Amino acid sequence: MTPDANWFKEMEDRIPTGRVRTRFAPSPTGYMHVGNLRTALYAWLIARKNNGTFILRIEDTDQSRLVDGAVELIYKTLEQCGLDHDEGPDVGGPVGPYIQTERRNLYGRYAQLLIDRGFAYRCFCEKSEEDAGHEKSQDPCRALTPSQSDARAAAGEPFVVRQKIPEEGTTTFSDAIYGDITVPNADLDDQVLIKRDGLPTYNFANVVDDHLMGITHVVRGTEYLSSAPKYNLLYNAFGWKVPIYVHCPPVMRDAHNKMSKRHGDPSYEDLISQGYLTEAVVNYVALLGWSPGGEREIFSLRELAEIFDISGISKSPAIFDIDKLTYFNAEYIRAMDPDRFAAVARPYIREAVKDPEIDPSLIAPLLQQRVERLTDIPGKIGFFDELPDYDAELFVNKKSKTDKPISLDMLLHAKEALESLPQWTQESIHDCLVALATELGVKNATLMWPVRIAAAGMTVTPGGAVEICHILGRQETVRRIDIGIKKLK
């Protein structure tokens, strides 16, 4: 057996078998858009549903498009979303991703194997390495004999390696969602496999890596459907088993346009910065083009892993609906453990309420059932930090049966009662004001309305008069009631 044959056999012997294996293979070329996240999520769910393995592979062979910090953003996003990967290139070492440029030496050997078998050829033409518009019949390099090609390569003439697509016949591939698709070989171009810099193209590296990593299910977007026939021809040329293809429909901004960063559509990072919870984003993204059946929509990541099935993926494009995501987010906020909500809400509360004397943990319970996004918080509570300038007309409320004279009377009595209150607790404030309303012979709302307007300077507030006064403290509450009294006199 030749040294190369030994090497190929050793590579084949390392391939894991016997279980479901999926991968997420992003290119570090920018932000993590919603479609990327969905691809990662579906691949992860397929692996977890089947007690399989989920692999992270960074496909960085297109060095010209790399963006600083993009790899770190991928790691961070997957970690935040709970999409843990299971293995890395160092057996027994820490779990990490596979990096394609760190595997660059193996791709050339597989490309040479294709050349030797007549399924690829060196192209010495001085043209762009882009595949678009490349005509098989117009490439003279296809007709070079092996000795001619070897001689030109040995002389140092630069070249790319192109796949040699049959000029006649058809190629059929199967997809778990779209079924069997047959394409005339005449419609397929001789795509570049190895570039002039020696690095593989995505279209070649992903096939080699998917095989060597034992990937059983390849999850990706429908934009790769047109490339699938060429991938199948590569698998067949090597004599490898073709994985199960799962091409997911695109995520659209509307019925006619795909989501795009340049059109202002949000990335995962954007959604988090806009106040959406990771759990809500993941739950919503799972339902973009997939249905679990039934009416239920809210699922934890663990629950999704238990029920996810490829058969639920739709062929139709999914429309990204920010209002629907907002609904999901509100549901998640309301269902959160109160202590956890207080923790995640704290920085948003502090954005608006900078007074160190005010405890954010007292404000959080007033907000949990009243906000849809975390970024809604600052706009609802600024009055705690500074009383807004308001008009005395706010004291007039037909439902509470208050006008300006009645409100003035209520505030005068409330000030006296609150100033003399022995303890300043929410319960004592409540009991004091309820008792005062009874004493004055008015309904609770007739007293509470002017107190709340004086304390907050707003008609719509999280919490009522009692909660607001308790958080403000006795001194600030009385000071604000005095301001209300002056407005009404």
Side-chain angles (χ1 to χ4, degrees), residues 87-334:
E87 67 182 40
D90 299 322
V91 177
V95 173
Y98 291 89
I99 309 294
Q100 278 191 335
T101 51
E102 295 176 3
R103 299 161 56 82
R104 63 185 298 165
N105 292 333
L106 65 86
Y107 304 112
R109 300 177 86 160
Y110 280 99
Q112 184 60 51
L113 181 59
L114 288 178
I115 293 173
D116 294 342
R117 293 181 177 180
F119 295 111
Y121 62 95
R122 300 185 189 94
C123 180
F124 300 92
C125 301
E126 294 184 6
K127 60 181 70 174
S128 168
E129 293 181 353
E130 297 296 327
D131 292 334
H134 184 78
E135 294 290 341
K136 296 189 285 287
S137 61
Q138 296 178 6
D139 192 335
C141 298
R142 277 179 66 103
L144 292 175
T145 65
S147 59
Q148 289 173 325
S149 178
D150 291 346
R152 292 177 68 170
E157 193 172 340
F159 62 87
V160 300
V161 177
R162 288 187 179 274
Q163 183 177 2
K164 196 170 188 177
I165 303 287
E167 295 188 75
E168 299 180 350
T170 61
T171 296
T172 299
F173 69 95
S174 296
D175 181 78
I177 301 170
Y178 293 90
D180 290 347
I181 299 176
T182 299
V183 178
N185 290 332
D187 293 346
L188 305 177
D189 60 296
D190 284 357
Q191 65 179 349
V192 173
L193 305 180
I194 302 292
K195 297 177 286 187
R196 285 183 176 81
D197 61 8
L199 284 173
T201 60
Y202 164 83
N203 287 318
F204 186 51
N206 89 87
V207 169
V208 174
D209 282 340
D210 284 345
H211 172 70
L212 294 180
M213 296 175 188
I215 302 303
T216 60
H217 296 69
V218 173
V219 183
R220 57 187 171 220
T222 52
E223 64 268 27
Y224 294 105
L225 274 173
S226 61
S227 298
K230 292 182 280 189
Y231 299 153
N232 266 30
L233 289 170
L234 287 174
Y235 280 106
N236 294 336
F238 284 121
W240 295 340
K241 181 180 179 181
V242 178
I244 296 172
Y245 293 141
V246 184
H247 287 93
C248 302
V251 179
M252 309 287 285
R253 180 179 359 120
D254 52 44
H256 306 288
N257 299 285
K258 285 186 177 182
M259 292 185 70
S260 169
K261 182 71 171 178
R262 67 181 175 212
H263 289 121
D265 297 318
S267 67
Y268 166 79
E269 287 285 308
D270 291 333
L271 292 172
I272 299 305
S273 68
Q274 290 168 13
Y276 293 96
L277 299 171
T278 293
E279 306 96 299
V281 173
V282 169
N283 189 161
Y284 178 65
V285 167
L287 301 180
L288 283 174
W290 173 77
S291 172
E295 299 297 320
R296 184 180 171 190
E297 295 181 305
I298 304 297
F299 298 94
S300 68
L301 186 59
R302 177 176 296 181
E303 290 172 328
L304 287 170
E306 293 173 355
I307 66 173
F308 189 81
D309 193 276
I310 294 172
S311 64
I313 300 176
S314 171
K315 294 180 181 179
S316 303
I319 306 296
F320 182 84
D321 184 346
I322 195 69
D323 292 333
K324 188 64 179 285
L325 173 58
T326 301
Y327 160 76
F328 272 68
N329 204 64
E331 291 295 305
Y332 270 89
I333 286 176
R334 289 165 190 150

Side-chain angles (χ1 to χ4, degrees), residues 342-408:
V344 299
R346 186 181 186 87
Y348 296 91
I349 294 173
R350 274 290 175 237
E351 182 182 326
V353 183
K354 298 178 174 59
D355 185 346
E357 297 298 318
I358 294 181
D359 184 357
S361 65
L362 297 178
I363 297 176
L366 309 182
L367 296 165
Q368 188 166 0
Q369 303 302 316
R370 294 177 172 87
V371 297
E372 296 181 313
R373 302 178 304 167
L374 296 175
T375 46
D376 295 340
I377 291 173
K380 293 180 178 294
I381 57 173
F383 66 86
F384 281 113
D385 216 39
E386 183 177 357
L387 180 67
D389 185 21
Y390 64 95
D391 193 284
E393 291 297 325
L394 296 187
F395 287 104
V396 179
N397 186 290
K398 292 182 179 180
K399 188 175 179 181
S400 300
K401 297 183 179 179
T402 59
D403 56 19
K404 291 181 183 179
I406 291 175
S407 293
L408 176 59

